[in-house]
């Protein structure tokens, strides 16, 4: 497995532009089910793109999702696909791993 590069935080406006301008860009909501139920989900319907829900941590014990990388590969199988992660506040996405090579990761805060 190789390390994935964390490309930094971006604003909602920057994320919207990336999702609009790059046809293969995907948005992954990494919040827990409890956070998702309480707050709701981003709406990409005007872009005709789904919001992929793949929890980074599992509620209620907040352990790391052991299937996270596998699930990300299913929605973004190419290493060239820009991936934007939606997470609450400034939750750190310190490291993720992907067996197929590096991809661009950005956190939408």
């Amino acid at each position: 497995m190789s390390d994935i590069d964390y490309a930094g935080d971006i604003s909602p406006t920057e994320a919207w532009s990336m999702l609009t301008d790059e046809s293969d860009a995907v948005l992954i909501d990494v919040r827990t089910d409890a956070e998702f139920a309480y707050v709701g989900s981003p709406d990409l319907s005007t872009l005709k793109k789904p919001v992929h829900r793949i929890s980074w941590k599992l509620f209620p014990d907040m352990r790391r999702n052991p299937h996270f990388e596998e699930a990300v590969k299913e929605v973004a199988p190419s290493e060239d696909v820009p991936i934007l992660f939606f997470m609450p506040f400034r939750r750190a996405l310190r490291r993720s791993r992907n067996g197929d090579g590096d991809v661009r990761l950005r956190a939408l805060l």
Side-chain angles (χ1 to χ4, degrees):
M1 270 187 188
S2 64
D3 287 327
I4 293 179
D5 293 330
Y6 177 63
D9 301 343
I10 62 174
S11 72
T13 302
E14 292 169 307
W16 187 261
S17 293
M18 184 179 283
L19 289 163
T20 301
D21 297 343
E22 299 191 38
S23 62
D24 56 346
V26 297
L27 179 63
I28 300 175
D29 188 335
V30 300
R31 297 174 296 157
T32 65
D33 289 338
E35 291 168 322
F36 181 81
Y38 182 72
V39 178
S41 178
D43 181 5
L44 301 182
S45 61
T46 60
L47 299 179
K48 296 183 172 56
K49 289 186 175 190
V51 175
H52 302 280
R53 288 183 55 210
I54 306 171
S55 293
W56 173 256
K57 302 268 184 163
L58 300 174
F59 186 81
D61 61 358
M62 299 307 286
R63 65 184 160 83
R64 190 173 172 280
N65 178 356
H67 307 290
F68 182 79
E69 290 87 359
E70 179 182 311
V72 169
K73 283 190 225 178
E74 288 179 20
V75 300
S78 168
E79 64 185 57
D80 297 322
V81 172
I83 302 172
L84 295 92
F85 288 116
F86 177 78
M87 63 188 71
F89 308 108
R90 304 219 83 199
R91 179 180 296 162
L93 177 64
R94 293 187 182 127
R95 277 195 153 165
S96 182
R97 296 193 177 268
N98 177 331
D100 294 331
D102 292 347
V103 295
R104 286 190 294 156
L105 301 182
R106 296 202 181 264
L108 169 61
L109 304 175

